[in-house]
Amino acid sequence: MKRSLILLSMLLVISPVYAGFTISADSLSPSVCPTTTELVTVEIINHDSSYKTYTFGLSGDAAQWTAMAPSGMNLAPNERANIYLYITPSMYAQPGNYNLKFTASSSGRIENINFNVNVQDCNGLSISAQNDQRAVCSGTTGDFSLILTNDGRWTETYDITVSGEAAQWASLSKTSVILSSGESEVFNLFVTPSEEDHGDFSVTVTAQSRNTDAVVSKELNLKSEDCYDFDLSASENFASFCDNSEVKIPLTIENFGSEQNVFDLNLKGKSWSSLSADQVSVLSGSSKTFDLILSPSLGTTGNYQFEISADSLNSDKMDTTTITTNVLSCRKSTMTVSTNSIELCPGDSKTVNILLLNSGRFEETYAMSINGVNWAELEKSILKLSSEESETVTLSFNTDQSTSEGDYKASVLAN
């Protein structure tokens, strides 16, 4: 009787120990702020059987900011010691990555360590606005929503001021904020142009730190209009959803004018997009909401933009808004096996566990099958799994005495 034998070969790599010396560092990618110091420790070990003298050096972009102690030393056999690198970027150092090379030499032998020094923007500050432009009826208030974010590493206090053409009409909901590292604060700028002033006016919002030289500004534009002024806006300008589903995004027309107005609604988009209305009538000082309806078919995925416009029938004014969407494939599955290889003798039987996970968002029914050998059998051929549900199926291998020796490959499919 012949028996099959499956051998597992392994490659063993044995690294020899060389005489001489070795160096290592506790960090190869130190991060540091300008004017602050980061300590990096380098360890050296003498593997020789005699006393050795070592000298050390630095080179690279970050060497100008780095102090080293000591610059040389003597070591007994098998003795180890530390060299300390003090990295202190100047206040003018720009954020980015800088190379620092540490070199140790002895008796003609040279060893190097390359460091990547990351100089961070530790006083970072950013400001963003929900809308950079706003149109209002003269004599009414335009509201800008802004977000101030402390991108630096320390807690700071910021003063907020307003300048520019429209500053005379402007007021802030907050004039100073205290932000921890990574923290953001929402505040509002209110601008109320006089009834006699029409046209485009700029206004700049500036935030400046009391503790550092961090400062940031945001320029906004206010359009002061009379008569049939209105605004078109979406409840959200970005939507992420699954293919083969329907999504409705509300849009609102707000009539700032003193008269009732009628608007024609238009859409630039895909064939699977539409508006719930072609025309709306809005009373003075009120608003009307309609929907952008999106129904991508199965397999339609990717990023898409939709432009919605409202044309006033009583004036030459038009407003538009753009909605960006990300259509996702929400049907995902993964299958894992308890082992990728087994050894069998003719007449043997063994089992392997197959784990099927439905990582999609919907319930799925799977048809399972196996290809490759006719003496393998699955415990189940149909599985129904809810979202994020998994189930283990037993795969049995049953050989008989007539099974020929050799290597066989079996593939399990879940469709």
Side-chain angles (χ1 to χ4, degrees), residues 5-287:
L5 179 62
I6 299 176
L7 297 178
L8 173 65
S9 62
M10 300 178 65
L11 176 64
L12 301 179
V13 178
I14 302 176
S15 300
V17 178
Y18 295 98
F21 67 94
T22 57
I23 54 176
S24 60
D26 58 353
S27 174
L28 295 179
S29 301
S31 296
V32 61
C33 296
T35 72
T36 64
T37 299
E38 180 73 14
L39 173 62
V40 176
T41 303
V42 176
E43 183 186 68
I44 183 170
I45 305 174
N46 179 12
H47 297 291
D48 266 313
S49 58
S50 61
Y51 277 87
K52 291 293 182 181
T53 299
Y54 301 90
T55 57
F56 312 121
L58 295 173
S59 61
D61 297 335
Q64 58 182 320
W65 309 320
T66 306
M68 177 178 60
S71 59
M73 63 176 59
N74 297 319
L75 292 180
N78 296 318
E79 185 181 1
R80 63 181 65 200
N82 290 333
I83 305 96
Y84 301 98
L85 308 181
Y86 301 90
I87 306 172
T88 310
S90 72
M91 66 181 296
Y92 304 106
Q94 296 298 310
N97 294 315
Y98 297 84
N99 173 258
L100 177 65
K101 183 177 183 180
F102 172 84
T103 301
S105 60
S106 176
S107 302
R109 183 184 180 93
I110 299 175
E111 296 290 341
N112 299 311
I113 298 179
N114 287 304
F115 298 93
N116 180 40
V117 180
N118 176 239
V119 178
Q120 300 178 323
D121 184 4
C122 299
N123 297 321
L125 179 64
S126 60
I127 188 172
S128 61
Q130 185 176 10
N131 294 298
D132 292 342
Q133 298 183 353
R134 182 68 191 268
V136 297
C137 289
S138 301
T140 64
T141 300
D143 179 11
F144 294 92
S145 178
L146 299 102
I147 302 176
L148 184 65
T149 302
N150 179 2
D151 299 315
R153 294 182 61 180
W154 300 287
T155 299
E156 296 194 52
T157 300
Y158 304 99
D159 292 319
I160 305 173
T161 57
V162 179
S163 60
E165 299 170 325
Q168 57 181 322
W169 308 315
S171 63
L172 291 164
S173 62
K174 296 178 181 179
T175 57
S176 67
V177 294
I178 300 174
L179 297 179
S180 302
S181 174
E183 187 179 6
S184 298
E185 185 80 20
V186 178
F187 65 96
N188 295 90
L189 171 68
F190 304 100
V191 186
T192 309
S194 66
E195 293 183 356
E196 296 76 24
D197 292 286
H198 307 140
D200 293 327
F201 301 91
S202 64
V203 58
T204 300
V205 179
T206 301
Q208 185 166 8
S209 172
R210 295 181 187 176
N211 313 98
T212 66
D213 59 356
V215 62
V216 68
S217 295
K218 182 69 174 179
E219 182 175 316
L220 308 169
N221 181 264
L222 177 76
K223 175 176 281 191
S224 176
E225 295 182 324
D226 59 351
C227 198
Y228 294 101
D229 186 33
F230 70 95
D231 181 61
L232 171 65
S233 62
S235 62
E236 54 184 332
N237 290 99
F238 177 81
S240 182
F241 53 94
C242 299
D243 60 344
N244 199 33
S245 63
E246 182 178 282
V247 173
K248 294 182 179 180
I249 301 177
L251 297 103
T252 301
I253 293 181
E254 189 173 4
N255 183 1
F256 298 114
S258 57
E259 301 292 335
Q260 180 176 346
N261 207 346
V262 180
F263 305 92
D264 279 336
L265 306 177
N266 299 288
L267 169 65
K268 292 181 181 179
K270 297 295 181 179
S271 59
W272 40 269
S273 63
S274 62
L275 297 176
S276 61
D278 297 323
Q279 189 179 88
V280 294
S281 178
V282 186
L283 296 173
S284 171
S286 65
S287 62

